Amino acid sequence: MFDVLLCIHDQHDEWLVLLAALICVISTMSSVQLLRHARYLAGYAAARWICGAGVAIGFGIWATHFVAMLGYDPGVIAGFQIPATIISLMTAIAMTTMSFSTALAKPDRKGLALASVLGGGGIVAMHYIGMSALEIPADIHWNQGYVTLSLLFAVLPTGPALALAVRGRSVRSGVAAGLLMTLSIVLLHFTAMTAVRLVPAPLDLRTGILMSPGSMAAAIAAGALGLLAICIAVLAMARKARLVLHATERDMTILVKGITDCAIYMLDRDGNVANWNAGAERLKGYTATEAIGLPLAGFYTSHDRTEGLPERALALAAQTGKFSGEGFRVRRDGSRFWAHVSIEKIADENGDHIGFAKITRDMSRFKEDEDRLKAMAGHLDAALGNMHQGLCLFGPDERLLVVNGRFKEIWGLDREASLIDMTLEDVARLVLETRAHAQVSQARIDELHLLLAKPPADPTSSPVVLDLGDDLVVSMTGRAMADGGWVTTFEDITERRRSDARIAHMAMHDALTGLPNRSSFAHWIDAELEQARHFGHQLAAVMIDLDRFKEINDTRGHGAGDAALQHLSKRLLDVMAEGEVVARLGGDEFAAAKRFKDKAELANFLDRLDACFARPFGPEDNCFLLDASIGLAVFPNDAQQREQLLNNADLAMYRAKANVGERIAYYEPEMDETARARRQLSNDLRQAIDRNELTVLYQPQHGLATGELNGYEALLRWQHPTRGPVAPDEFIPIAEETGEIFRIGEWVLREACKEARTWPDGLKVAVNLSAIQLGQTEIVEIVRGILVETGLSPMRLELEITETAIIGDKLRALHLLRQIKSLGVSIAIDDFGTGYSSLDTLHSFPFDKIKIDKSFLLRSQSSAQARAIIKAVLALGQSLNVPVLAEGVETVDQLDLLKEQGCDEAQGYYFGRPGLSPSLAAAEAVRQIA
Ligand code: C2E
Ligand code: CA
Ligand code: CA
C-alpha cells in the first residue's frame, strides 16, 4: 500500500491526480443518479437511461485514467495509440452498461455478483487496454502481485456500490454508491500503476495513428465537457423531478388542509398533534393554533382515557403500521360524536418512525342509522317471532336469508338451530328428515324443493298445500320479490283440515248412529241414478219406518230408544253390500237403496233388511222386538227422478203401515192417486172456512137414569163443492197434518159456544179437541177468549180428547188440561177402550167423563168380549167415581144393556143423529108449524 501511495506522490502530478479524482466522482455520481432514474422505467426508456449511466461512468473511468496518465511523471510519454485508446473507452462503456442492466434486472446477490464482476472487469479492461495505447521509450514490466491486487480493488467495492445504487432510495446511499465506485476506479488505477516498472528501451514507434499528449488533453477536455453536460442534464432532471414532487406535495397539503368532511392531521412520535386541517377544525372545534401540541388522548372520552385506549391505539399503529376503530370522541365543546378513526404509522425515506397520520370521520349519522336499523331489526325479529305463520326469505341465490321461530315450530325443528345461508334443497331435506325422523327419498325432497322454490311473479298466486298425512298439513304461499328473492309463508292447517273433515262428516252423517243422513242419501241416490241411466240397471229406494217406536221411548226411556236405534243401525250396516246404502233420515225413519239387475237380487236385499227386525233388541232379560214398515219404489219403473222415487217409496211405506201384517209394500200407481187426492183435499180444506163449506152438527147426549137431555156433541161437517160431503174421519187427519186444524178447531169451538149460549141453561156442549191442538200452548187462552167472547159459562162446555193426545207429551198435555179445567171447563176422555186404554192415563188426570168407544156397543150383540169390555169400563168408572158415556147406541137392546150395567149417559142414533143446531131446528119447527 505504501508503494501505491509513493507511486501517487512520487510519480504523479498531484493536481492532475486531483482533477482525475474529481472527474471520477462527478461521473460516478451522475451514473448512480441516471441508474436510479432507470429503475422506475421499463423497456426502451429504461435502456436509454441505463446506456446514459454506462456512458457517464465509462467516460469517467476513461477520463480518470488518461488525466492521471497525463500527470504520470516519467514525462516520457511520446503519444497515445488512437485505436487502443478508443477501444479502451468503448470497452469501459460497454462493460459498465452491461453491469448496470444486470444489476437492475436482478438486484439479488447472484445478479449483483455478476454485475460487479462485469463492472469491475470494465474498469480493469479499460485500464490495461489504455496502458497498451502508451508510446514510451521503455519496456513495461508488471509486478504480478500488484496486478492481482488491482483486479481485487476493481471488483470488490463494485458489488456494494451497485447494491446501494439500485436498492437504496436516500441521497446518502446514492452518494455512498458513487464514492464506492470512485474508490474502486481510483484504487485500481494507482495499484495498477504501482505494478509498473519501466525498463528504458528505444522508442519503437509502432505503425498506426498516434495522438500526442496535447491532443489527448484536448480530447479529455472535450470528454470532460461532455460529462459535465450529462451532469448538468442529470441535475436539471433531478431538480425538475424535485419541483414536480414539491408541487404535488404542496397540492396534497392544500388538498388535505382543505378537506372539511374529515379530520386529517399528523401526530408526532409521542402522539401530539403536529398539524391540523379544516376538517379537523370543523369536526373537533379546535383551531389549528389550539390543536397543535395537544395529545391524542385529549379527543377521547374520559372513560376511554382511563381505559388507556389512546395509548393502545398508538402502540398498535406503531407496532403493526395501522390502527383503525370506532368509538365516541369528544369535541372542544364537550359534545360527543361517533367517530371512525384510522391511525397510520409514518416513516421517513430511511424507514425511521417519525409520527402518525390520522384520519377521523364523523360517523354519528351512520351510527344512528345503524342503531335505528338494529332497533328495527329487533322489532322485526319480535314481529317475526310472534307471527302466527312460519316465514322464510330466500335470496336470489336460493339461500335462506331470514327465518322465524314459527317456521321451525311447524316443522318440528330445533328452535336454536341456525338455518341462515342454507340452500333451498338443504332446507327441504332438513324439514322432511325432521318430520320423517329418518332419511327421506330424493324424490320427496325434490317435490318439496319444487313447492318451496321461487313462485311466479304473479302476486295472486294461490297457496299450495302440502299434505304429510294425518300428521301435518301445511299451506304455503310464496311471493316473489324485486331483487329476485322470494318470501314463503307457512301455515299449519292440520287442525283446520281435521275440523273441516269432521264438519263435512257431520254434515253428511247422522250424529246418533253415524249412518249417512238425509242429504248424503240424496247425493248417493243422485249419483246412482246417473249411473243407472248410463248403464241401464235398476235402482230400488226403500223407506223404513219403525212402528210404535214412540212407545219404546215412552215406556223404556229415551236412552233405551237411542240404544235400540244404534243397534238397529249397526245391523242394517252389517247387511249392506257393494252398491247398497242405508241412511237414517231422522227419528225412527230409515232409508236404504240398492242398484240391481234382476228381481232375485232385490228380493235378497229385502230379505236381509227384513232379517234385521227378526231378532229382539235391548238387554236379554228385558228385550223387545222392533217392527218396521218398509216401502219400496224402483227406478225406472216407478219413477224417473230422485224426489219422485223417494216419494213413491214413502207412499208404499204408508201402505205397509196401514195394513197390519204387511211389512213390505211395493209402490203401486194407485197409491199415487190416493196421495194426489189427499193433496187436493188439503188444498181445498184451506179455503173451506172462508167459503162457508163447514158446518157443525149436534148429536144429543142423554142421561140414562131419567132419560133427560144433558147436552149435545158438536160434530164437524164439510160440504165439498165438487165431491159433496167429506167425512171428518177423512179430512180431520189431513187438517192435522197441514196444521189447518188450529184454525178449524178454533172455528168449531166458537160456533159451538155461540150455539150453546142460545140453549136452555142446563144443556152442555161437548167439543172435540184434536191431539195437535193440545200441543199448542195458546190453547188455554183460546178457550178462555172464546168463552169470554161468546159469554158461555165454562160449566156448560166440555172438551173431548182422545188418549193419544195425552200420550204424546204427557207432562205438557196434563199441564194444559189442568189449566183448562181450572177455567171451569170439564174434560172427557174420548174413544176409551181403543188405543192404549191404560189405567195410568185415567189415574194421571181427574177426567170428568169417560166415553166408551162406539165400536164396543156396535159389536155388543155379537161379541162377548165387547160386552166384557163395556162392563169393565163401567166398573172402572164407578170405582174411580167418573161418569161413563156410551157412544153408538142404536137399539133398545143396547140401551137396556147399558142401563143394566149402570151406565150414566148415552149417545147414538137411538137418541138422534147429528143434526142441525137445536136453535135452527127449533126455528125450522116453528116455521113448519106456521
Ligand atoms: P167421535 O168424536 O167419536 O164422534 C162420534 C162419531 O160417531 C160421529 O161421527 C157420529 O156421527 C158417530 N155416531 C154417533 N152415534 C152413532 C151411532 O149410533 N152409530 C154409528 N155408527 N155412529 C154414530 P162423525 O161425525 O163422522 O165423526 C167422526 C169423528 O170425527 C169423530 O168421532 C171425531 O173424532 C171427529 N170429529 C168430528 N167433528 C170433530 C171436530 O169438530 N173436531 C175434531 N177434532 N174431531 C171431530
Ligand atoms: Ca167425540
Ligand atoms: Ca168418540
Side-chain angles (χ1 to χ4, degrees), residues 13-132:
D13 177 308
E14 280 97 343
W15 288 109
L16 284 174
V17 167
L18 272 179
L19 178 65
L22 187 68
I23 290 174
C24 189
V25 169
I26 291 173
S27 73
T28 53
M29 293 295 173
S30 305
S31 69
V32 168
Q33 191 72 19
L34 290 165
L35 192 59
R36 283 195 168 178
H37 197 81
R39 279 195 304 203
Y40 304 106
L41 304 170
Y44 179 66
R48 247 182 12 194
W49 286 88
I50 291 171
C51 286
V55 167
I57 196 162
F59 182 77
I61 295 165
W62 182 83
T64 306
H65 174 80
F66 284 101
V67 170
M69 286 315 289
L70 286 177
Y72 190 54
D73 196 36
V76 290
I77 294 172
F80 301 91
Q81 286 280 342
I82 291 180
T85 304
I86 292 177
I87 289 172
S88 69
L89 174 64
M90 291 306 154
T91 309
I93 291 175
M95 288 187 74
T96 49
T97 302
M98 283 196 293
S99 161
F100 285 163
S101 51
T102 307
L104 267 188
K106 280 191 76 171
D108 56 5
R109 266 173 60 187
K110 262 191 187 167
L112 288 176
L114 177 62
S116 54
V117 169
L118 282 169
I123 300 168
V124 172
M126 189 274 127
H127 181 86
Y128 289 102
I129 294 171
M131 287 301 286
S132 73

Side-chain angles (χ1 to χ4, degrees), residues 713 768 800 830-831 851 853-854 887:
E713 178 181 1
N768 294 284
E800 296 186 5
D830 204 358
D831 300 344
K851 292 184 80 177
D853 191 69
K854 60 180 180 280
E887 291 181 318

